[in-house]
Amino acid sequence: MFFSGDPSTRKRVDLGGRSSKERDRQKLLEQTRLERNRRLWLRQQNSSAVKIQKCFRGRKAVLAEQSKVREQFHKTYGKHCQNVDRNAFGPDSDFLRQLLYFFNAENLDDFSILVKACQLLQQFAQDSGDTVKLLAGLDYSSTCAVVNYRVKRLIYMCIRAIHHHRYQLKDQLLLTSKESNASALPLLEVLVLLIDPKLPWSCKIVGYLFQKNAFALLREIILTAKDNVEDFFPSGKGSSLERVLTVLISHIGQKPCICTDFETRFSFSSQILTIPFLWHLFPYLRQAFATQGRSQHYIHQMAKCVQNQINLLPKDISDEFPSYACLLGNILETAGTALSQPDCSFDMAIDVAAVTTYLLEALPSVKTSNKGTKESSMIAEDDMSGNDEVMEVAMDRKLEQQICNAIDSQFLLQLTNILFREMPFVNGWDHGPDDREVAAVGAVCGFLHVTFSTLPLERIMTVLAYRTEVVPKLWSFMKRCHENKNWSSLSEQLAYLSGDAPGWLLPLAVFCPVYKHMLMIVDNEEFYEQEKPLSLKDIRSLIIILRQALWQLLWVNHNTSAYSVKSVPVNSANKRQSIEIIQQRVSIVISELLSQLQDWNNRRQFTYPSDFHADGVNDFFISQAVIETTRANEILKQAPFLIPFTSRVKIFTSQLAAVRQRHGSQAVFTRNRFRIRRDRILEDAYNQMSQLSEDDLRGPIRVTFVNEFGVEEAGIDGGGIFKDFMENITRAAFDVQYGLFKETADHLLYPNPGSGMIHEQHLQFFHFLGTLLAKAMFEGILVDIPFATFFLSKLKQKYNYLNDLPSLDPELYRHLIFLKHYDGDISGLELYFVIVNNEYGEQTEEELLPGGRNLRVTNENVITFIHLVANHRLNSQIRQQSSHFLRGFQQLIQKDWIDMFNEHELQLLISGSLDSLDVDDLRLHTNYVGGYHSEHYVIEMFWEVLKGFSLENKKKFLKFVTGCSRGPLLGFRYLEPLFCIQRAAGNASEESLDRLPTSATCMNLLKLPPYKSKEQLETKLLYAISADAGFDLS
């Protein structure tokens, strides 16, 4: 150290609080660690270099040795194996040993030698007829180790050689041994020769191929061959490649085969069955696979592992061909053959259902252009867009078609018959279902539920409803579970069903849509008289089960997410659905079925209307139901029948009152005033009402009548004159003499299909009539117009079916039912798919189907013919008229208001019922003024006289005092204002007693003089209500 010039020594101070020694120690440790890591890295580097050099030198030595052996082989046996005889394949020969040692698939000369060797081996084996003796000599037991080693290496070498040269050999891979001497064929034929199950080494060889993942190589070979042919038509004999696969699949671990199971991801099922349209390429392989033992083995193998292996399936084809979809298509095409075998077992059917169910779950929904719109509401497609990060790619159209076509009527019939074979019907069983029944129901329901969610419904519903026993068998199961109060859990049948899911959820998800479809087609005789497929007693029990289940889903165990389908990520191999989605679907199909059963009950009552009402509906529920977005309001929209009719009417009237109040119906001044001539009431009303906007229609309308002399009638319209106007105009407009409407045999009204022949502007008139009816309902005015049920269904935008036809044309209905049950040859009746319309003497012929004039009705298509005829009469003929009527109607009455009621209830909303003319109820809700009271002698006489009136006179009286011949739907307590009787004269002089009773309909007021006798009161009252003097008596 150099001298600094400063003689004093200064002490260094570390302001960090540590000594310099401590700091130096940390640096030293860090340096030591770094040095140690550097030395370790150098050692690893040196070791790696040594290993690389060792491997390279070893490989170089092997290549050199292989080259020497190859040269020696060429000298001994020739470059083209020209010096080879049958002894060369024996255990003591070096021919196979040397070939197996030096063979290199990349070397074309080696490949040629292998092809020649395979040709010779095949030739010598064919000449000797004993492959074992050719390869093992006289004693196989003493040479088995060497022979087995050589055979397995030779077979695997052949597969590797074909795989390596597959693109060069692609034109040869699907040829048969007789078609060509192509180089690929000897290699494939040797595989067939040496893997023959009869040979003693075959199982060991196949086990070796499993270990070497040979099926993956065969898969790539098949895909190369498949891509080379667009339209392949197999010849009469299977190709050599097909024969190889046929031999391989016979090794299923059952006697005499002793193969052991290997990892399923490398198995025949995972690698070969996932090739698209496999059976189109290899039809003989399909026959071999479909035999009972083989298909049962592979399907059982898949049933055990498909849930865990689906994500491990190959993904080497485009996204349009997901492996699980290809596997499903191939399995379905062979499962039908396996299920049709007489000895097909219950366990086999269970496995088929399990595998296909799981694969169908993973499948994206199949959409077809001809998907039925009428059933689409039953199981609508869920909106799965949301926040999904993975875009779902559409499947190939042909692959979709393969899957759809495979699940045909025969497949469904066979599967359900085998699974339901041992299940009992309801009668005679008083215990719950056993484990075997639970397994059968779970398998059927799991498969069908996923099928409903994935495939087009119209292809399978009719088969399930009419050709299988799904409905009676499931009902038997559900009834016994319900009676024993023990619902078996079926949650293991679907991956997204949790263990605490109710046991009735899955059976109802299948039973309801199938039975609903059946009810669309069944006729009245079958349902009511023959009680098919369920007895009326069973249907009553079913209604209770459905009602309880629906209330449980919608109210008790309601989940808020059930009405907004959650986004579920979808990947290429799997698709999961939440429990909320299946609960939502089940609640929809239960609602639709209960609504349909309620329609049947309205046609002919077989159970109490209250059986459809939920037990938990109370005042709190009703108060909530009026509020949008509440749970109760959702229930009101989806399942209104759960709520008593009177409660729904209260909700409806409160909604109308709220809208009327918003549009100022209580205002004193009214801008809409009609001047109506009584003898021109329809024309005047049409001309003046057609000019009003929707807002004006919602507001009050005041009417002034003009009598036949052109003089305005007395009276100020405070509401009563308008009610009289509405009742008179509806009577005139809907009169069949006017030609817009016709009557059924029961005097029920429906649109006249020939209305256009009478009125040029008939569609505008129907729009006006729809508005007119809506205005009456909007103002709470009951009108006496009895509509046909099938027309009221149009106000609800519903479709009419065969069972609605009796109300329109009973004779036509009887003829169609005769055809339905006709035992002979229907084609002999000379019927065609045409129908003759006869309106006012003019006959027109209309085709029910394109080309229907040339399409004869036969036993096969008679059901279609029957329903097309019913559809024409009930829907097509009145489509235009109903559509315009509905447009006018919906100007004032919202669809969701009407959806709260069925057709029978809707008629009550329009016209009320005779029960509303209850004199005792009117007396309880009557006020008295002017000196009258409830016990006054005149009042006592009045009520006695009114009670003795006929029904027609009671209606006249009600119209006289209120302006409407029908009372309020819920009784006279809802009459606004309440009915009132006023004393008309201050004294009982002869002059005053000679007066007639008068009324003020706007106030629901009767002005009654104090008559002295009952006879006088009756005479005067009858004269007043029958005078038909308009409002001049007021």
Side-chain angles (χ1 to χ4, degrees):
M1 187 174 180
F2 297 101
F3 177 61
S4 63
D6 187 1
S8 61
T9 59
R10 296 180 180 178
K11 186 177 180 179
R12 295 181 179 179
V13 179
D14 188 353
L15 298 179
R18 295 179 302 173
S19 67
S20 59
K21 292 181 179 180
E22 184 179 355
R23 186 174 66 250
D24 293 342
R25 177 173 175 274
Q26 294 295 332
K27 286 183 179 181
L28 180 63
L29 291 175
E30 181 65 19
Q31 290 175 357
T32 303
R33 186 183 65 80
L34 294 175
E35 190 66 25
R36 183 168 60 250
N37 290 342
R38 189 179 67 84
R39 290 194 301 270
L40 176 63
W41 181 78
L42 288 174
R43 284 197 301 272
Q44 291 174 341
Q45 199 174 35
N46 291 334
S47 175
S48 300
V50 169
K51 290 180 181 178
I52 293 173
Q53 292 170 8
K54 179 179 178 182
C55 181
F56 177 77
R57 287 194 299 269
R59 183 62 184 159
K60 185 178 180 181
V62 169
L63 291 174
E65 185 63 25
Q66 285 177 336
S67 181
K68 290 180 183 179
V69 173
R70 184 181 290 110
E71 291 178 5
Q72 183 180 354
F73 181 89
H74 290 166
K75 291 178 181 178
T76 306
Y77 302 105
K79 285 189 176 182
H80 303 290
C81 299
Q82 60 269 27
N83 301 327
V84 175
D85 58 12
R86 68 184 308 277
N87 295 323
F89 292 95
D92 299 327
S93 172
D94 291 335
F95 176 75
L96 284 179
R97 180 181 64 80
Q98 291 179 351
L99 177 61
L100 295 174
Y101 180 72
F102 71 76
F103 178 80
N104 181 2
E106 298 178 3
N107 190 315
L108 293 179
D109 291 335
D110 290 357
F111 180 75
S112 299
I113 291 174
L114 179 63
V115 171
K116 188 61 179 178
C118 289
Q119 287 176 338
L120 292 170
L121 176 58
Q122 185 180 2
Q123 178 185 338
F124 294 146
Q126 188 175 357
D127 293 342
S128 66
D130 191 344
T131 306
V132 177
K133 190 174 181 180
L134 177 66
L135 294 173
L138 297 176
D139 186 10
Y140 169 71
S141 60
S142 61
T143 59
C144 62
V146 174
V147 173
N148 291 351
Y149 175 78
R150 288 182 178 179
V151 171
K152 70 183 182 182
R153 287 290 309 280
L154 177 62
I155 290 175
Y156 184 65
M157 193 165 66
C158 290
I159 295 176
R160 289 297 303 268
I162 298 173
H163 178 265
H164 184 79
H165 295 279
R166 62 189 183 277
Y167 296 111
Q168 292 80 16
L169 302 174
K170 59 186 179 181
D171 295 329
Q172 308 172 17
L173 296 175
L174 296 179
L175 299 178
T176 66
S177 58
K178 303 298 182 183
E179 291 180 19
S180 170
N181 292 322
S183 52
L185 297 182
L187 305 183
L188 293 170
E189 288 298 323
V190 162
L191 295 179
V192 176
L193 175 69
L194 298 181
I195 312 176
D196 189 336
K198 298 176 182 177
L199 299 177
W201 57 68
S202 63
C203 289
K204 295 181 180 179
I205 305 306
V206 172
Y208 175 77
L209 294 179
F210 269 118
Q211 290 178 340
K212 303 296 285 186
N213 195 12
F215 277 123
L217 300 179
L218 289 171
R219 172 186 175 83
E220 295 183 12
I221 293 170
I222 296 170
L223 288 176
T224 303
K226 181 179 179 298
D227 292 340
N228 189 51
V229 286
E230 293 183 1
D231 297 313
F232 174 72
F233 298 98
S235 60
K237 186 177 180 181
S239 66
S240 297
L241 181 56
E242 183 175 14
R243 294 174 62 206
V244 171
L245 296 172
T246 304
V247 173
L248 283 173
I249 66 170
S250 63
H251 291 268
I252 57 176
Q254 298 178 4
K255 292 182 179 181
C257 176
I258 57 172
C259 291
T260 55
D261 290 334
F262 293 92
E263 189 174 352
T264 52
R265 62 182 296 189
F266 302 125
S267 67
F268 174 81
S269 304
S270 299
Q271 297 294 332
I272 306 301
L273 285 181
T274 52
I275 295 175
F277 314 112
L278 179 68
W279 311 130
H280 178 69
L281 284 177
F282 305 130
Y284 297 100
L285 177 65
R286 172 182 178 172
Q287 295 177 10
F289 180 83
T291 58
Q292 184 64 26
R294 293 175 186 174
S295 58
Q296 184 167 358
H297 166 77
Y298 285 107
I299 291 177
H300 181 66
Q301 185 185 59
M302 284 183 278
K304 294 190 297 183
C305 63
V306 66
Q307 294 190 20
N308 301 321
Q309 297 293 330
I310 195 168
N311 290 321
L312 302 177
L313 294 176
K315 299 179 178 64
D316 51 358
I317 316 180
S318 69
D319 292 339
E320 292 183 344
F321 295 93
S323 294
Y324 57 85
C326 299
L327 177 62
L328 175 63
N330 291 327
I331 288 176
L332 286 171
E333 284 194 339
T334 55
T337 306
L339 292 172
S340 64
Q341 302 296 324
D343 57 342
C344 182
S345 66
F346 176 84
D347 293 333
M348 168 68 173
I350 289 287
D351 289 337
V352 169
V355 173
T356 52
T357 297
Y358 192 81
L359 294 175
L360 278 169
E361 281 185 64
L363 208 65
S365 296
V366 174
K367 302 178 181 66
T368 62
S369 59
N370 61 341
K371 188 163 186 177
T373 57
K374 294 189 290 292
E375 292 182 12
S376 60
S377 65
M378 181 163 57
I379 304 178
E381 191 63 34
D382 291 316
D383 180 15
M384 303 293 285
S385 53
N387 299 320
D388 291 357
E389 298 178 0
V390 183
M391 293 297 293
E392 189 174 308
V393 180
M395 277 198 311
D396 177 75
R397 184 67 179 166
K398 291 182 179 179
L399 182 58
E400 282 187 0
Q401 205 63 42
Q402 180 194 27
I403 295 171
C404 290
N405 292 340
I407 305 180
D408 57 5
S409 58
Q410 193 68 17
F411 176 82
L412 294 170
L413 195 61
Q414 292 165 350
L415 181 64
T416 54
N417 283 348
I418 293 173
L419 291 175
F420 286 151
R421 191 159 49 197
E422 300 176 17
M423 278 188 65
F425 285 97
V426 177
N427 296 335
W429 290 81
D430 55 357
H431 59 78
D434 56 27
D435 293 341
R436 199 173 179 85
E437 291 178 64
V438 172
V441 170
V444 169
C445 292
F447 170 75
L448 291 180
H449 172 71
V450 177
T451 303
F452 293 163
S453 307
T454 309
L455 300 184
L457 291 174
E458 73 276 4
R459 296 181 59 89
I460 54 180
M461 274 299 175
T462 302
V463 176
L464 291 173
Y466 280 94
R467 298 188 59 191
T468 70
E469 295 183 341
V470 167
V471 168
K473 291 290 189 179
L474 284 184
W475 169 241
S476 167
F477 176 83
M478 293 189 300
K479 183 177 182 180
R480 283 181 289 137
C481 289
H482 178 69
E483 290 175 347
N484 290 276
K485 296 182 173 57
N486 181 22
W487 287 90
S488 304
S489 175
L490 302 174
S491 58
E492 68 275 5
Q493 300 301 327
L494 290 178
Y496 51 82
L497 272 186
S498 59
D500 58 350
W504 43 259
L505 191 64
L506 195 54
L508 287 180
V510 174
F511 175 87
C512 290
V514 178
Y515 188 45
K516 175 179 178 290
H517 182 82
M518 182 179 287
L519 291 180
M520 291 177 182
I521 306 174
V522 74
D523 58 67
N524 293 337
E525 285 73 15
E526 290 173 326
F527 185 88
Y528 295 112
E529 310 299 338
Q530 301 173 17
E531 300 190 7
K532 293 180 179 179
L534 302 181
S535 68
L536 296 179
K537 179 181 178 182
D538 282 341
I539 294 176
R540 287 191 286 269
S541 301
L542 172 64
I543 290 171
I544 294 173
I545 294 176
L546 295 177
R547 184 196 70 203
Q548 292 174 348
L550 185 60
W551 185 251
Q552 193 85 5
L553 288 172
L554 296 181
W555 185 256
V556 179
N557 295 335
H558 174 77
N559 191 313
T560 53
S561 62
Y563 292 100
S564 56
V565 178
K566 292 165 60 177
S567 298
V568 183
V570 180
N571 56 43
S572 61
N574 207 351
K575 180 180 73 176
R576 285 293 174 267
Q577 303 177 7
S578 63
I579 185 65
E580 288 82 6
I581 296 176
I582 185 173
Q583 286 179 339
Q584 183 194 19
R585 287 176 174 170
V586 173
S587 70
I588 291 173
V589 293
I590 292 178
S591 299
E592 292 178 343
L593 178 56
L594 275 173
S595 178
Q596 205 167 5
L597 289 172
Q598 191 181 42
D599 291 341
W600 283 95
N601 194 50
N602 288 334
R603 290 190 194 100
R604 189 189 303 178
Q605 186 170 324
F606 56 85
T607 189
Y608 297 110
S610 58
D611 285 347
F612 293 91
H613 301 159
D615 298 329
V617 176
N618 50 29
D619 292 339
F620 171 75
F621 181 93
I622 300 300
S623 65
Q624 289 289 303
V626 187
I627 306 172
E628 288 288 336
T629 72
T630 61
R631 192 189 318 171
N633 184 260
E634 293 287 351
I635 295 174
L636 179 65
K637 292 178 180 178
Q638 180 176 335
F641 47 80
L642 292 175
I643 304 165
F645 175 60
T646 54
S647 300
R648 281 177 281 135
V649 173
K650 293 176 184 177
I651 295 172
F652 176 66
T653 53
S654 67
Q655 291 171 328
L656 291 178
V659 175
R660 286 198 301 267
Q661 188 172 8
R662 284 200 304 269
H663 287 82
S665 65
Q666 306 301 325
V668 176
F669 300 102
T670 306
R671 60 182 178 181
N672 300 316
R673 297 185 178 274
F674 289 178
R675 193 171 185 272
I676 304 295
R677 294 170 292 176
R678 284 196 177 271
D679 54 350
R680 296 279 183 176
I681 185 171
L682 187 57
E683 290 82 353
D684 289 353
Y686 173 75
N687 292 330
Q688 297 178 59
M689 189 173 282
S690 299
Q691 298 175 7
L692 300 183
S693 65
E694 284 192 22
D695 283 341
D696 288 337
L697 286 171
R698 290 190 178 93
I701 297 175
R702 295 294 174 251
V703 175
T704 300
F705 276 118
V706 178
N707 62 22
E708 63 270 24
F709 305 109
V711 179
E712 291 188 359
E713 296 181 1
I716 299 174
D717 188 3
I721 301 179
F722 177 72
K723 285 192 286 185
D724 180 69
F725 159 74
M726 290 299 295
E727 188 158 302
N728 281 287
I729 190 176
T730 51
R731 186 187 302 114
F734 291 98
D735 192 329
V736 294
Q737 299 298 324
Y738 197 70
L740 292 176
F741 276 79
K742 295 181 76 173
E743 272 188 340
T744 68
D746 298 326
H747 305 291
L748 303 176
L749 296 175
Y750 68 97
N752 180 6
S755 58
M757 302 173 67
I758 300 177
H759 300 281
E760 185 177 348
Q761 295 183 323
H762 67 121
L763 296 181
Q764 290 86 342
F765 272 111
F766 276 106
H767 185 280
F768 163 68
L769 293 184
T771 305
L772 195 66
L773 180 63
K775 181 62 175 176
M777 295 182 66
F778 189 80
E779 299 294 343
I781 300 171
L782 299 177
V783 290
D784 191 7
I785 308 174
F787 288 113
T789 304
F790 65 86
F791 172 62
L792 290 173
S793 67
K794 295 303 176 184
L795 296 185
K796 293 173 60 62
Q797 300 181 9
K798 284 173 61 176
Y799 190 86
N800 292 308
Y801 293 92
L802 175 65
N803 41 55
D804 297 302
L805 187 59
S807 62
L808 172 61
D809 194 336
E811 185 177 359
L812 176 61
Y813 176 77
R814 284 195 299 272
H815 291 162
L816 293 178
I817 297 303
F818 169 78
L819 284 180
K820 182 177 180 180
H821 300 289
Y822 187 67
D823 295 329
D825 183 8
I826 294 180
S827 60
L829 300 178
E830 291 292 330
L831 295 173
Y832 293 86
F833 277 77
V834 293
I835 191 168
V836 176
N837 300 319
N838 189 352
E839 298 295 340
Y840 300 104
E842 182 177 326
Q843 289 190 349
T844 57
E845 194 177 73
E846 190 170 341
E847 291 185 331
L848 297 173
L849 286 175
R853 287 184 177 88
N854 303 316
L855 182 59
R856 182 176 290 188
V857 180
T858 65
N859 293 73
E860 288 72 29
N861 60 22
V862 65
I863 297 297
T864 302
F865 173 77
I866 289 171
H867 289 280
L868 286 175
V869 171
N871 171 62
H872 177 78
R873 293 301 309 276
L874 293 167
N875 299 298
S876 302
Q877 271 195 318
I878 60 173
R879 179 176 290 118
Q880 278 190 317
Q881 292 90 334
S882 300
S883 176
H884 282 78
F885 190 95
L886 179 63
R887 289 177 196 170
F889 185 78
Q890 290 184 339
Q891 282 188 296
L892 290 174
I893 303 297
Q894 299 177 17
K895 182 179 183 299
D896 55 344
W897 293 349
I898 292 302
D899 286 343
M900 290 192 293
F901 307 96
N902 60 39
E903 289 82 351
H904 175 71
E905 295 166 342
L906 188 53
Q907 182 64 60
L908 292 178
L909 281 182
I910 295 170
S911 302
S913 67
L914 296 179
D915 296 337
S916 63
L917 291 173
D918 186 350
V919 175
D920 292 332
D921 181 50
L922 178 62
R923 184 173 186 175
L924 285 173
H925 302 94
T926 299
N927 294 326
Y928 305 96
V929 293
Y932 284 152
H933 53 81
S934 60
E935 296 179 358
H936 194 281
Y937 78 95
V938 175
I939 299 300
E940 293 284 354
M941 287 193 301
F942 167 77
W943 290 118
E944 288 179 17
V945 167
L946 185 59
K947 207 162 188 178
F949 275 2
S950 65
L951 178 61
E952 189 62 31
N953 285 333
K954 287 178 182 177
K955 292 168 68 175
K956 288 181 179 180
F957 168 77
L958 201 56
K959 182 180 179 182
F960 179 73
V961 295
T962 67
C964 181
S965 62
R966 298 290 181 110
L969 194 59
L970 300 180
F972 287 101
R973 63 178 296 186
Y974 292 94
L975 186 65
E976 294 183 3
L978 289 179
F979 176 55
C980 182
I981 302 177
Q982 177 183 346
R983 184 165 178 157
N987 54 48
S989 65
E990 290 296 329
E991 183 181 351
S992 63
L993 293 179
D994 198 41
R995 295 177 55 185
L996 290 172
T998 58
S999 65
T1001 53
C1002 57
M1003 301 296 295
N1004 299 324
L1005 178 68
L1006 173 65
K1007 301 174 183 178
L1008 183 66
Y1011 299 114
K1012 293 184 177 180
S1013 69
K1014 181 179 175 182
E1015 290 74 17
Q1016 186 185 23
L1017 190 151
E1018 182 176 1
T1019 302
K1020 296 289 186 180
L1021 187 58
L1022 277 175
Y1023 186 87
I1025 64 176
S1026 304
D1028 197 20
F1031 285 84
D1032 288 336
L1033 285 180
S1034 298

